[in-house]
């Protein structure tokens, strides 16, 4: 159980760190081969770009979990607690709807690109486009966790973004 909890908490963040390392190492390798050896590698730019795509979408999921996306709370903090609660539930419902659309449309893109290969890496482009539905699925799972915590009382009913980390 402890291992599952550890993976749930740090798994996506660890993957983002690994992909960032791959991206940076690939770019450094490309610079070295291009400007020092004068013989650029053909695949490094493409690998760095696709790692960046995955980092972007998985990083969005990490930020979603921590409540780190940009939030304008100027009016929300002025509302009575009951209205804050209602607004929190409405925002959660809208997020679920948006994430479901992203998941379904992302799966469609993955299916449509299954037979297309990347130019240099010769991997299916569906592997790169899979970052969209994968990140949407992860964010949906985080939203389920947030909702269960809100219902169980471990997350204050009208908690603002970022409050999840303080109450965990």
């Amino acid at each position: 159980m402890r291992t599952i909890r550890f993976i749930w908490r740090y798994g996506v963040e660890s993957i983002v760190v690994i992909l960032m390392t791959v991206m940076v190492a690939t770019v450094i390798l490309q610079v070295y081969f291009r400007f020092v050896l004068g013989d650029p590698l053909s695949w490094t730019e493409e690998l760095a770009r696709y790692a960046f795509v995955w980092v972007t979408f998985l990083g969005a999921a990490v930020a979603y979990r921590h409540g780190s996306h940009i939030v304008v709370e100027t009016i929300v903090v002025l509302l009575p607690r009951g209205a804050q609660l209602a607004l929190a539930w409405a925002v959660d419902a809208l997020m679920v709807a948006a994430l479901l659309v992203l998941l379904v449309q992302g799966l469609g893109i993955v299916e449509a690109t299954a037979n297309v290969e990347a130019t240099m890496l010769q991997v299916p482009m569906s592997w790169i486009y899979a970052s969209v539905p994968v990140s949407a699925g992860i964010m949906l799972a985080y939203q389920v966790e947030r909702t269960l915590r809100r219902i169980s009382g471990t997350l204050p009913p009208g908690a603002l973004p970022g409050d999840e980390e303080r109450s965990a």
Side-chain angles (χ1 to χ4, degrees), residues 46-60:
E46 194 169 71
L47 179 60
R49 184 175 352 123
Y50 297 151
F52 181 70
V53 169
W54 273 94
V55 164
T56 300
F57 283 97
L58 291 178

Side-chain angles (χ1 to χ4, degrees), residues 46-118:
E46 194 169 71
L47 179 60
R49 184 175 352 123
Y50 297 151
F52 181 70
V53 169
W54 273 94
V55 164
T56 300
F57 283 97
L58 291 178
V62 170
Y64 185 71
R65 177 152 201 253
H66 294 293
S68 298
H69 284 287
I70 295 174
V71 175
V72 179
E73 57 186 34
T74 309
I75 297 174
V76 176
V77 295
L78 299 175
L79 295 174
R81 201 68 178 151
Q84 287 182 8
L85 174 62
L87 188 59
W89 281 109
V91 168
D92 286 351
L94 288 172
M95 282 304 301
V96 167
L99 290 170
L100 285 172
V101 168
L102 195 61
L103 177 67
V104 170
Q105 294 300 314
L107 288 172
I109 292 171
V110 168
E111 187 179 326
T113 58
N115 296 323
V116 179
E117 284 191 344

Side-chain angles (χ1 to χ4, degrees), residues 7 9 11-12 24 33 38 44 55 59 63 79 88 100 107 112 121 140 157 160:
I7 291 171
R9 184 139 178 97
V12 178
V24 169
F33 270 80
T44 52
V55 164
L79 295 174
L100 285 172
L107 288 172
L121 295 178
L140 277 169
L160 298 172

Side-chain angles (χ1 to χ4, degrees), residues 9-66:
R9 184 139 178 97
Y10 300 109
V12 178
E13 292 165 356
S14 299
I15 293 169
V16 169
V17 168
I18 291 167
L19 287 171
M20 283 290 289
T21 304
V22 166
M23 187 174 67
V24 169
T26 304
V27 170
I28 290 171
L29 190 66
Q30 173 66 1
V31 169
Y32 178 76
F33 270 80
R34 179 179 299 274
F35 295 110
V36 176
L37 300 180
D39 186 23
L41 298 171
S42 58
W43 53 270
T44 52
E45 185 271 332
E46 194 169 71
L47 179 60
R49 184 175 352 123
Y50 297 151
F52 181 70
V53 169
W54 273 94
V55 164
T56 300
F57 283 97
L58 291 178
V62 170
Y64 185 71
R65 177 152 201 253
H66 294 293

